[in-house]
Amino acid sequence: MGTAGEPFKCPVCQDFFTQPVTLQCGHDFCLTCIQAVWETDESTEGPFFCPECQIFLPPDLALEINTGLQEKVKSFTANRRPAVAESPSLVHCDHCIERPSVAVRTCLTCDASLCQAHARLHQQRSALREHTLVDVTTDPLSLKCREHREELKLFCMEEKIPVCCLCVLVGDHKHHKASQLHEASADFRSTLAAHMNQLLKRRGDAEHAIKDLESLYAQTVKSAADSREKISDKYSRIRVVLDADERLMMQIIDAEETYMTDWLEAQRGIMETQIKEIDRLRASNKELLQETNDLQFLQQIRSQNLCDPLDVPPVLGVNRDLCDHEKLKTVERLVDDLSLALSQHFPRMWSYLSSPALDPKTAHPQLEISPDKKQVSWKRHPVGEGLGPQPYDSQYSVLAQESFTSGQHYWEVIVQDKPFWMIGVTTGLVAEKRSPAPRSPSLGVNSTSWCLYHGDGQYLACHDTQEKQLSVAKRVRKLGILANIQKGELSFYDADAMSLLHAFCVQCTEPLFPMFNPCIDVNGVNRQPLTLFWIKDPWNWEEGEK
């Protein structure tokens, strides 16, 4: 007994019509089924015949889709499907109507999903044997060329995308170099494996850098401990006279250890972050390598921009020169010198050490001041090349809250490996025309400011548009500034070695403000802050003498 769906089924495949065509004799067939029976396509000349009634048809027969019948089939099959809640990822067989079955394969030629039974039947029929069956998918069109509706069997090596044969022959990829999917997949799998090896090497470099940081950290702590012991022993011989000086030296070492260990901890954090990122990339690549479907693998490669060789920045090794503890050695050397000639070394320059707080009201809007007002840096808004001012632009500055009008004053600024900075003093704020709010003056480019500028290894002493290049043997990691108001001298030192870099003659009766310019950050290379060095409970030399 026939069923209600018989009028909508193809006599060849015994399934519901897909793109039905009606012959002149009145019999209906799927377009692909009748072409398979005739072992031809619609462009080939006859003679043609009807598989049902066996009558011959005109040789110039043109096959056209019966849209009316197609709509009836769609309406009938839609009404026959049970309305049940299904998982979004579950695909049913397009041929199982009365009792839906889970599809296990998808025919790209028919654009239909097939259960196990229909997939086996699909492969057994000679007319359908050449169809392409793939793992079941909810979107078979994603595996076809959107322009030609052909299977994606090639991979364009120039544009790095899967293409069909027509794309290479007559389409947009004509004359492009193309490879078979399995060949392209093998090449990219080899590249991805090389990426993983490269990531593994980078991870090893990062781990090695962390070990270096740990070693430097231990050396810093040990060197500080050794220096404390040596200095304490030396001061025990001259305790009565030098109690105040010993306390000062200890505070310098404590502060030095604190800042250096903090910096080493920060560098360790950077390396650990790089390791996490490398692990994330390795995990992602490992997951991709487990993909067995070449097409889906290549599509994921393209979506994750992994077609081209991986450009992983190298892990920078730890520069041990950053922790040579020169300041600690300097402290010991000064104590030795002190035992020979006390009067030549008192009072210490560090006796005048002050730690001026930064004044946020005078800071350029692009500068960021830390809550404790001891650090200033360029805000974290990257500036592309050619889109912003030069790194040495002198107007991006901030003043200290405290100014100096008399006496001697000394302060230190930690610069570490910062490639660009400008540090000095100025007579104060200037007023803009049309604006009642004062702003920081340009540092080092007028007659009322004096500064030292560092630009990628070069040092310049700047005043009143005059620049003098300085000869500095070793890179300055900490800059010291001594202002002797009575003598009218402003001196800049390598604060670790206490070696003079340059001295200005300052003839000025106005208050002098310490001034700091971290210079702009271009592409993240100059993001480090300028940090004011300070010690707890600084010793007041004048009160100590009393």
Side-chain angles (χ1 to χ4, degrees):
M1 181 180 294
T3 63
E6 288 296 333
F8 303 122
K9 290 188 176 181
C10 173
V12 176
C13 66
Q14 297 298 312
D15 205 345
F16 288 97
F17 288 116
T18 302
Q19 294 182 310
V21 296
T22 303
L23 304 183
Q24 290 182 347
C25 60
H27 291 112
D28 302 311
F29 302 91
C30 297
L31 175 61
T32 55
C33 290
I34 193 63
Q35 290 176 345
V37 170
W38 291 341
E39 296 184 350
T40 181
D41 56 37
E42 60 183 357
S43 64
T44 305
E45 296 183 356
F48 304 125
F49 66 94
C50 174
E52 285 286 280
C53 60
Q54 304 298 314
I55 69 169
F56 284 93
L57 302 172
D60 58 348
L61 176 65
L63 298 178
E64 296 182 358
I65 304 299
N66 188 336
T67 55
L69 178 58
Q70 189 174 27
E71 291 298 325
K72 291 180 181 179
V73 173
K74 289 183 178 179
S75 177
F76 179 79
T77 55
N79 293 331
R80 296 277 292 178
R81 289 190 180 276
V84 295
E86 300 171 348
S87 171
S89 60
L90 190 64
V91 180
H92 286 112
C93 177
D94 290 325
H95 297 329
C96 296
I97 304 303
E98 296 184 0
R99 187 175 182 182
S101 300
V102 176
V104 296
R105 304 284 280 173
T106 296
C107 177
L108 296 183
T109 308
C110 301
D111 286 339
S113 297
L114 309 172
C115 65
Q116 189 71 44
H118 281 100
R120 189 181 305 110
L121 185 63
H122 212 74
Q123 293 174 316
Q124 291 174 350
R125 291 181 179 173
S126 59
L128 308 177
R129 196 165 294 161
E130 298 300 323
H131 289 198
T132 301
L133 296 181
V134 298
D135 292 337
V136 66
T137 175
T138 58
D139 184 18
L141 292 180
S142 67
L143 305 178
K144 288 187 172 185
C145 173
R146 295 188 179 274
E147 180 180 358
H148 302 109
R149 312 294 283 186
E150 294 288 332
E151 296 178 38
L152 299 171
K153 295 183 177 181
L154 301 175
F155 189 78
C156 177
M157 301 304 293
E158 295 186 22
E159 297 190 17
K160 302 294 189 298
I161 58 173
V163 295
C164 71
C165 295
L166 290 178
C167 287
V168 176
L169 292 175
V170 297
D172 295 337
H173 300 268
K174 186 177 181 181
H175 304 307
H176 287 188
K177 182 181 179 181
S179 299
Q180 297 288 337
L181 288 182
H182 67 89
E183 294 176 353
S185 178
D187 289 342
F188 284 115
R189 286 177 186 275
S190 176
T191 300
L192 193 60
H195 288 180
M196 291 190 66
N197 290 334
Q198 187 179 11
L199 289 172
L200 187 61
K201 183 179 182 302
R202 294 290 185 272
R203 192 182 193 281
D205 292 342
E207 289 177 340
H208 182 72
I210 285 184
K211 290 181 180 179
D212 286 345
L213 288 170
E214 291 175 345
S215 176
L216 290 174
Y217 185 94
Q219 289 177 21
T220 297
V221 175
K222 185 177 184 302
S223 296
D226 291 345
S227 295
R228 289 192 189 94
E229 182 179 355
K230 293 176 182 178
I231 292 173
S232 179
D233 180 66
K234 293 174 181 179
Y235 270 102
S236 64
R237 303 166 191 173
I238 50 175
R239 179 68 59 191
V240 175
V241 181
L242 301 177
D243 282 344
D245 197 84
E246 180 186 8
R247 179 184 178 189
L248 172 63
M249 295 302 176
M250 292 301 178
Q251 289 173 331
I252 291 296
I253 294 173
D254 290 341
E256 184 70 17
E257 179 186 7
T258 298
Y259 279 95
M260 185 53 68
T261 54
D262 287 346
W263 181 79
L264 290 171
E265 286 288 350
Q267 297 303 304
R268 177 190 177 95
I270 292 173
M271 296 303 171
E272 289 177 340
T273 300
Q274 290 184 349
I275 286 178
K276 290 180 180 178
E277 177 62 15
I278 289 172
D279 287 343
R280 184 189 67 78
L281 291 174
R282 291 181 67 246
S284 175
N285 290 344
K286 182 177 180 181
E287 183 178 354
L288 281 176
L289 286 175
Q290 294 174 352
E291 176 59 56
T292 59
N293 184 285
D294 290 340
L295 180 55
Q296 293 182 1
F297 170 78
L298 292 171
Q299 288 174 333
Q300 292 184 49
I301 283 287
R302 173 172 172 77
S303 66
Q304 298 183 28
N305 296 323
L306 294 176
C307 291
D308 296 321
L310 183 64
D311 184 15
V312 180
V315 176
L316 299 178
V318 176
N319 185 354
R320 291 181 169 272
D321 289 340
L322 297 178
C323 290
D324 62 355
H325 314 297
E326 187 170 356
K327 170 166 278 189
L328 303 181
K329 299 175 184 177
T330 301
V331 173
E332 294 182 34
R333 175 173 56 80
L334 291 177
V335 173
D336 289 334
D337 293 342
L338 181 61
S339 64
L340 300 176
L342 293 178
S343 61
Q344 298 180 14
H345 296 275
F346 280 100
R348 305 283 196 204
M349 190 181 300
W350 290 322
S351 300
Y352 306 112
L353 184 64
S354 61
S355 179
L358 302 177
D359 187 356
K361 293 184 295 184
T362 66
H364 188 278
Q366 288 287 57
L367 298 184
E368 186 173 336
I369 309 300
S370 63
D372 62 1
K373 301 178 182 179
K374 298 298 182 184
Q375 287 187 340
V376 56
S377 60
W378 185 261
K379 285 187 177 178
R380 293 176 178 264
H381 299 298
V383 178
E385 293 184 4
L387 301 179
Q390 296 298 316
Y392 55 79
D393 196 314
S394 61
Q395 64 178 315
Y396 295 94
S397 305
V398 61
L399 299 182
Q401 292 179 342
E402 180 183 5
S403 63
F404 306 126
T405 57
S406 61
Q408 294 190 69
H409 305 273
Y410 177 74
W411 61 97
E412 294 183 354
V413 186
I414 301 172
V415 297
Q416 284 292 10
D417 53 353
K418 187 174 174 64
F420 298 96
W421 47 263
M422 185 178 285
I423 299 170
V425 299
T426 183
T427 56
L429 301 172
V430 298
E432 284 275 17
K433 294 181 180 180
R434 303 180 183 178
S435 175
R439 67 173 179 85
S440 299
S442 296
L443 182 58
V445 297
N446 54 50
S447 60
T448 59
S449 63
W450 302 260
C451 76
L452 202 67
Y453 167 70
H454 173 261
D456 209 11
Q458 300 295 319
Y459 294 85
L460 298 177
C462 307
H463 171 63
D464 198 14
T465 70
Q466 300 297 316
E467 297 179 351
K468 179 182 178 181
Q469 186 166 348
L470 306 180
S471 178
V472 180
K474 185 177 181 180
R475 185 161 183 168
V476 176
R477 306 293 177 179
K478 192 183 288 92
L479 184 70
I481 304 98
L482 175 65
N484 190 327
I485 307 300
Q486 277 71 24
K487 292 185 178 181
E489 294 177 350
L490 180 68
S491 304
F492 291 86
Y493 293 85
D494 179 340
D496 286 329
M498 282 301 177
S499 57
L500 180 66
L501 301 174
H502 185 74
F504 289 102
C505 179
V506 178
Q507 300 297 331
C508 181
T509 58
E510 299 181 50
L512 293 177
F513 288 84
M515 196 170 188
F516 311 88
N517 183 345
C519 296
I520 70 171
D521 173 32
V522 180
N523 299 325
V525 301
N526 196 41
R527 188 172 294 168
Q528 307 94 315
L530 294 177
T531 303
L532 283 163
F533 182 85
W534 68 288
I535 59 178
K536 298 179 180 179
D537 304 323
W539 173 259
N540 189 314
W541 181 260
E542 295 180 356
E543 292 183 0
E545 288 185 320
K546 297 177 181 179

